[in-house]
Amino acid sequence: MSTPPPNPYSGAPVPPNPYAQGPGAPNPYAQPQPQPGGPVPAQQSPYAQPHPQQQPHPQQPHPQYAHPQHPPYLAPGPTGCRNCGAPEAVNFAVRAHVGVLVVMRFHRLDGPFCRRCGRALVRIMTTKTLCQGWWSPLSLVLFTPFTLFWNLIAAAKFAKLEPSDPAPGRQQLDEGQPVHARPLAYVAIVPLLWAVWVITNIIADVSG
């Protein structure tokens, strides 16, 4: 009976384990054990990252209530004439209307205006309306009379203002001649006579 060959590695020394923990080395994966009579410690992962402490955000007041004496939805209004800067002014618009057959145009200049600038604009826009505002059917019966009545109210408002000087470096408008002294204002007689003639013929046909 043959004997097995001897094992060449039987007497070789065993190399140490590089991953073996030495005596007294803590195990990072070991769970903490509660102490007798003490609180149970919370389990903490070795990979957990510390969270930075969040700072409380300071409470900012709402912009609408930050300055109650100056609410943001109120824009500062003008303090003088928009043309010359005179302090005595009234916020009222001046209108003009042009009507030619089926083409109509509406012009509007918003205030505020002082006494002199407002009266000058009323005379200019009213003369333009009397000259060019009657040449379409709707303008004749609706828009031109409305514009003339509007400018009449504007002239009354501007006439109530006290005369005031313009701002430094600015100039007031020249009032010029009154409307009744301007020849272009009498162009309105032509369409008015035509309208009277048409209405007279209609009444005559109905009554006859």
Side-chain angles (χ1 to χ4, degrees), residues 22 47-48 62 108 122 127 129 168 170 175 177 185 195 208:
Y47 303 101
H62 194 275
R108 173 172 174 170
V122 166
T127 303
T129 303
R170 304 175 70 174
E175 294 186 19
Q177 296 180 343

Side-chain angles (χ1 to χ4, degrees), residues 82 90-97 106-114 117-127 129 147 150-155 157-158 173:
R82 61 174 295 185
V90 62
N91 191 6
F92 200 80
V94 183
R95 298 175 179 267
H97 177 72
F106 302 86
H107 303 276
R108 173 172 174 170
L109 297 177
D110 294 324
F113 298 111
C114 64
C117 294
R119 287 163 60 92
L121 291 174
V122 166
R123 293 178 179 182
I124 295 173
M125 304 287 274
T126 301
T127 303
T129 303
T147 303
W150 180 280
N151 288 347
L152 185 64
I153 299 176
K157 288 182 175 293
F158 296 135
L173 297 177

